Amino acid sequence: FIDYANENGLAGDLTLELEIADDQYSPDLTPGAVTTLIDSGVHIFSGIIGSPNNLAVRDTLNDNCIPQLLSLTGAPDWGEVADYPWTTGGLIPYPVESRAYATKMAADHPDGATVGLFYVNNEFGQVYAEAFTELTDEFGLEIVAEETIEATDSNPPTAQITSIASEQ
């Protein structure tokens, strides 16, 4: 898209350049990667993945009036325009997405349904699980099993899925 935008003048007289830095999805590495890019002349950041990673650089980018666009996180932290005018979220907030799932389940099972929650054991997963759990009474859903996986675990979640399936 960058090539297309430049070839078709989508940014007027500006030439867009894409630079990528890998923070290995570690919020401890994100500030260094962002600082290196700022030092090399980057003027806009987009697509930083993860709530902790985006939070690790939000103050720096806002203090320097550098846009932090389309943060790839649905955490509810990305709508604080008064405090962080240079930051925008890029995903549907996790509580809104949880409501969509609960709404669909209730529509498919109007007499109520049992649910097994399976989520990543980090802030991302916790927000989803908490938001969904808060909706169960409203939508006639009952959580009968809850399992997690670590974000760093690359093994198939066989035990977790077996545990959830045994609750049927």
Side-chain angles (χ1 to χ4, degrees):
F1 181 80
I2 300 296
D3 291 340
Y4 176 84
N6 287 332
E7 290 167 6
N8 292 281
L10 297 183
D13 293 337
L14 296 175
T15 300
L16 303 176
E17 294 179 27
L18 178 64
E19 292 192 36
I20 299 172
D22 183 4
D23 66 5
Q24 300 174 30
Y25 194 58
S26 170
D28 294 335
L29 299 178
T30 308
V34 165
T35 298
T36 298
L37 290 170
I38 291 171
D39 291 346
S40 74
V42 170
H43 301 289
I44 297 173
F45 286 79
S46 180
I48 298 172
I49 300 172
S51 300
N53 307 69
N54 279 282
L55 287 171
V57 296
R58 181 171 67 171
D59 287 334
T60 298
L61 294 173
N62 276 267
D63 289 348
N64 290 291
C65 300
I66 298 172
Q68 180 183 8
L69 306 176
L70 305 174
S71 301
L72 295 177
T73 166
D77 302 300
W78 310 113
E80 300 171 2
V81 178
D83 295 326
Y84 301 100
W86 295 91
T87 299
T88 65
L91 301 177
I92 295 170
Y94 303 142
V96 173
E97 191 172 347
S98 292
R99 179 169 284 282
Y101 295 143
T103 300
K104 176 65 172 151
M105 288 176 196
D108 288 349
H109 305 281
D111 295 329
T114 58
V115 177
L117 288 182
F118 177 57
Y119 55 93
V120 179
N121 187 24
N122 61 13
E123 180 270 343
F124 161 70
Q126 291 294 326
V127 172
Y128 263 114
E130 289 169 11
F132 189 86
T133 300
E134 289 175 8
L135 298 169
T136 55
D137 288 342
E138 178 181 342
F139 288 95
L141 305 171
E142 177 188 2
I143 297 172
V144 295
E146 191 169 333
E147 293 288 336
T148 63
I149 190 169
E150 298 303 316
T152 56
D153 193 349
S154 61
N155 295 319
T158 306
Q160 294 93 327
I161 299 303
T162 300
S163 177
I164 289 171
S166 72
E167 296 298 326
Q168 294 299 328

